[in-house]
Amino acid sequence: MHLEDVTISKAIITRYQEELLEALESDVAVVGGGPAGLVAAYYLARANKKVVLFERKLSVGGGMWGGGMMFNQIVVQDEALPLLKEFGISFRTFEEGYYTASSVEAVAALTLGAVRSGAKIYNLISVEDVMVRDNRITGLVINWTPVDLGRLHVDPLTVQSAYVIDCTGHDAQVASMVVKKMGAVLRTRTGNLEGEKPMWAARGETATVANTREIFPGLLVAGMAANAVCGGHRMGPIFGGMLLSGRRAARLILGEDEE
Ligand code: 48F
């Protein structure tokens, strides 16, 4: 077969453009492709919701790749074992109730699960603002990450979505944008971001699931962002709470769970 270089370029640009146009209107826009975001995207897409996920970096996986202090193993506790099985992630028992898995396999399996269930993942795109109409989130303002990195003065584009899930981890970026633009309107004790508390795995893990909820009409928060918004402890390289939180966010949107 004779290869035409320009045909390769046409194929990439055409397909990307087709898919990005599709992403402009969705049922759920997930911001952040860490473990919580990938799991939320998986369950929602599997339930036939139109899901788009925007990830700022080149690769999804967030804080999962590095395990703990770059030892690329993660720990998952008993309650989240069904999720390791759901995604086909191999695991070993360390002690009763403590399971370990390769962080690389875990990221790969969560990503493949989300994509195969129908979620569309857009990497290298940063969410830089929110759209609000009649006191409800209606979409996101997006731009290429290199525009932000290069401090280029380039206007963004917008996407529309019935729900947004903030899965941006410690920074809780989407919730922060809401506060910046709308004031202290979050459904938290102060209406503001409460800020995360010091490392305490037992409390942080329970809290991250409990704090997974709608914090502003149309905006849910999941994963570490849930604790950053609601004042939960951080928990370090144990990931059961992230997986369970992602599933809970999906279930809340699907009406299968209550706050
Ligand atoms: O940080 P991250 O992995 O969040 P998570 O799913 O999991 C937290 C754990 O990794 C770890 C922990 C567990 O014990 O505490 O920290 O809650 O993934 C967040 C993702 O969001 C992306 C970021 O690059 C990362 O991959 N992200 C952050 N801000 C934006 C964003 C943004 N403005 N637009 C798009 N993506």
Side-chain angles (χ1 to χ4, degrees), residues 31-37 54-57 59-64 125-128 167-170 173 177 205 222-225 235-239 242:
V31 186
F54 297 106
E55 167 54 51
R56 175 171 65 180
K57 295 195 173 150
S59 51
V60 289
M64 204 178 217
I125 291 183
S126 293
V127 170
E128 62 169 56
C167 298
T168 61
H170 293 272
Q173 292 221 341
M177 290 164 198
E205 283 291 276
M224 196 56 224
M235 72 296 288
I238 180 160
F239 282 82
M242 298 300 123

Side-chain angles (χ1 to χ4, degrees), residues 184-217:
V185 292
L186 301 182
R187 292 171 182 160
T188 60
R189 196 173 47 83
T190 59
N192 261 311
L193 271 71
E194 306 289 327
E196 70 183 40
K197 295 202 183 92
M199 185 96 114
W200 190 341
R203 291 207 172 173
E205 283 291 276
T206 318
T208 205
V209 185
N211 288 333
T212 301
R213 54 198 163 96
E214 193 172 26
I215 50 153
F216 182 77

Side-chain angles (χ1 to χ4, degrees), residues 227-250:
N227 278 2
V229 169
C230 300
H233 290 266
R234 64 182 299 206
M235 72 296 288
I238 180 160
F239 282 82
M242 298 300 123
L243 307 178
L244 292 166
S245 169
R247 187 177 68 179
R248 178 151 197 246

Side-chain angles (χ1 to χ4, degrees), residues 7-23 120 122:
T7 306
I8 298 169
S9 303
K10 281 182 192 167
I12 288 171
I13 294 168
T14 305
R15 288 290 182 261
Y16 191 88
Q17 205 173 13
E18 286 168 5
E19 299 217 349
L20 191 59
L21 277 172
E22 263 301 298
K120 295 288 180 197
Y122 297 88

Side-chain angles (χ1 to χ4, degrees), residues 119-186:
K120 295 288 180 197
I121 297 181
Y122 297 88
N123 58 339
L124 291 169
I125 291 183
S126 293
V127 170
E128 62 169 56
D129 205 350
V130 288
M131 303 237 293
V132 179
R133 298 282 184 280
D134 300 324
N135 206 42
R136 184 181 174 90
I137 293 261
T138 55
L140 297 165
V141 180
I142 60 169
N143 215 330
W144 301 115
T145 298
V147 166
D148 182 33
L149 291 175
R151 298 180 164 277
L152 305 177
H153 189 170
V154 179
D155 269 323
L157 292 175
T158 54
V159 294
Q160 186 179 307
S161 195
Y163 283 97
V164 170
I165 314 180
D166 183 346
C167 298
T168 61
H170 293 272
D171 295 338
Q173 292 221 341
V174 186
S176 303
M177 290 164 198
V178 170
V179 168
K180 193 171 161 201
K181 292 290 162 75
M182 308 287 294
V185 292
L186 301 182

Side-chain angles (χ1 to χ4, degrees), residues 85-119:
K85 293 180 178 167
E86 173 78 15
F87 284 91
I89 300 168
S90 32
F91 59 88
R92 293 168 65 193
T93 305
F94 183 70
E95 279 180 21
E96 198 187 336
Y98 293 78
Y99 305 94
T100 60
S102 147
S103 63
V104 175
E105 182 183 344
V107 171
L110 296 181
T111 308
L112 190 62
V115 171
R116 290 228 168 121
S117 68

